[in-house]
Amino acid sequence: MILSLFNLLIFPGFLFLSLFGLAMEFVDRKLYARMQNRIGPPWFQPFADFIKLAAKEEIIPEEADPVMFRLMPVFALTAVVTAFFYIPLWGTHSLFAFNGDLIVVIYLLTLPTLAFFLAGWHSTSLFAMIGATRTLTQLFAYEVPLFMAVLAPALLAGTWSLSEMTVFYQVHPAYAGFNIIGFIVALIAIQGKLERVPFDIPEAETEIVGGTFTEYSGRLLAMFRMAIDIEAVVCASLVAAVFLPFGFGLGPAWGFVIYVFKVLIIIALLALLRTVLARLRIEQMTIFCWKVVAPAALLQLLINLILSGVL
Amino acid sequence: MKWLQKLITWARIKSPWVIHFNTGACNACDIEIVAALTPRFDIERFGILLKGTPRHADVLLCSGPVTRQIQDRLVRIYEQMPEPKFVVAVGTCACSGGVFQGCYNVKGGIDAVLPVSAYIPGCPARPEAIIDGVVKLLSSLDPKPAATLPETTTTAKST
Ligand code: SF4
């Protein structure tokens, strides 16, 4: 009981995740700055941003629905933290594993996007509403490729459980090499899920002010930013567990180092994508996702189907 | 609870998010503000980020004299910002009305309408001066150096 509480709230639960998420935000921003030939923010920047926002006044617009407006940040944060417990991190087994947790993780990762939508919708501000509808439009574009990309390795392993999948790839490490297309598709889809360049269309501050979060301020905004940071870490962990299933058998200490290293690599790849690309328009993004990314994910599914028959 | 206050002050100094509002400038000051946001000056070093919405911002960068038409909008933008908030007047016009002083359509400097925390003179104010102004304004929040920094004004270096 005490151990579960410790796991949930401190390590590897909420506290660890928050600190790790903020640290990864720094890594992302620093890499982004260095790749643009800038010096970039100091290491404490995300922490300072968070504390400052938490200490600021919190304005709830008169027109907005106060309950939904307050609830949505909490909802987003809870969903991403919960998803984290089902992902195998430094051992082959996650904290709480059951058959089918892969599907649960993907659905839990969809919830923040839904929370962003509802938050924007209930702000009843014009810009927030445009941002909200764009969030949903975008969701339909990247979600399907992400599903297919993540399910393909599961097909090869013949299980719906993330923990059993890592066990399978632990025994057959070479099989992970077949999932390279899925890895790329997942990276692109995650960029969309995190609403970062080139898929930051819902937040496009040059067009629609602040998008979904236009009306959010103070503590609620801090919570949303925290949810996005944690979401980045959780998505990176999911990709690491599914597509980079190495180094699980070396005990917790080495496992932890390798886990952090894997997350760092994925965050660096995402930062690289963010640096070299510019924002797309919403219909360009949808067309790209359905005409290029989704067929690639289908191809991966096909390859894995044939492989699982042959091998 | 003193350490908490200290922590919050530290965070405020380290993370000023700005929003830029043209109150009727001739556009040169705006271009200098935009120039200050470019990678060349890299204001993210100081934690400064440009925000699109007043709800996220801490510092309102105003450029130009307040025209009668913009007055209501300016006050509205200001009121949409959550506390604590600061106003920085960028450019001579924003400080005093400048060359537009006494025009039939101009109210005067920003301080004719809003409480201004820092004045950055210059026609137009240079990006260095703008960054310096914002950083000085925020360091004046820190109780210690406040004794040596009674006025949060800056002077633009001429080239
Ligand atoms: S200070 Fe000079 S550059 Fe700036 S708005 Fe006034 S006239 Fe234009």
Side-chain angles (χ1 to χ4, degrees), chain A residues 29 38-42 44-45 48-49 51-53 55-57 59 61 209-210 213-217 221 225, chain B residues 7-8 10-12 14-15 17 39 42 44-47 49 51-53 55-58 80-84:
Chain A
R29 279 171 70 175
R38 293 189 285 133
I39 292 175
F44 51 74
Q45 195 55 55
D49 286 351
I51 296 166
K52 178 207 73 178
L53 279 177
K56 255 178 105 80
E57 185 193 359
I59 299 175
V209 184
F213 307 128
T214 304
E215 294 294 337
Y216 274 86
S217 58
L221 181 66
R225 286 176 61 91
Chain B
L7 185 72
I8 291 171
W10 168 82
R12 272 180 196 149
K14 293 299 176 192
S15 157
W17 290 355
D42 186 22
E44 209 185 353
R45 282 179 295 159
F46 309 111
L49 286 183
K51 288 285 159 184
T53 151
R55 295 259 195 253
H56 298 185
D58 308 294
Q80 281 176 347
M81 288 169 64
E83 295 279 356

Side-chain angles (χ1 to χ4, degrees), chain B residues 6 17 19 21 29 33 48 63 88 93 103 106 113 125 130:
Chain B
K6 261 192 189 153
W17 290 355
I19 179 169
F21 188 62
C29 280
I33 291 176
I48 305 177
S63 52
V88 174
C93 291
C103 272
V106 163
V113 182
I130 298 170

Side-chain angles (χ1 to χ4, degrees), chain A residues 116-133:
Chain A
F116 299 162
F117 164 72
L118 285 174
W121 192 258
H122 287 286
S123 308
T124 52
S125 142
L126 189 63
F127 298 115
M129 275 195 186
I130 298 176
T133 47

Side-chain angles (χ1 to χ4, degrees), chain B residues 22 24-30 32 63-65 90-95 97-100 120-125:
Chain B
N22 181 345
C26 75
N27 222 350
C29 280
D30 302 292
E32 294 303 312
S63 52
V90 179
T92 308
C93 291
C95 294
V99 286
F100 302 106
I120 303 171
C123 181

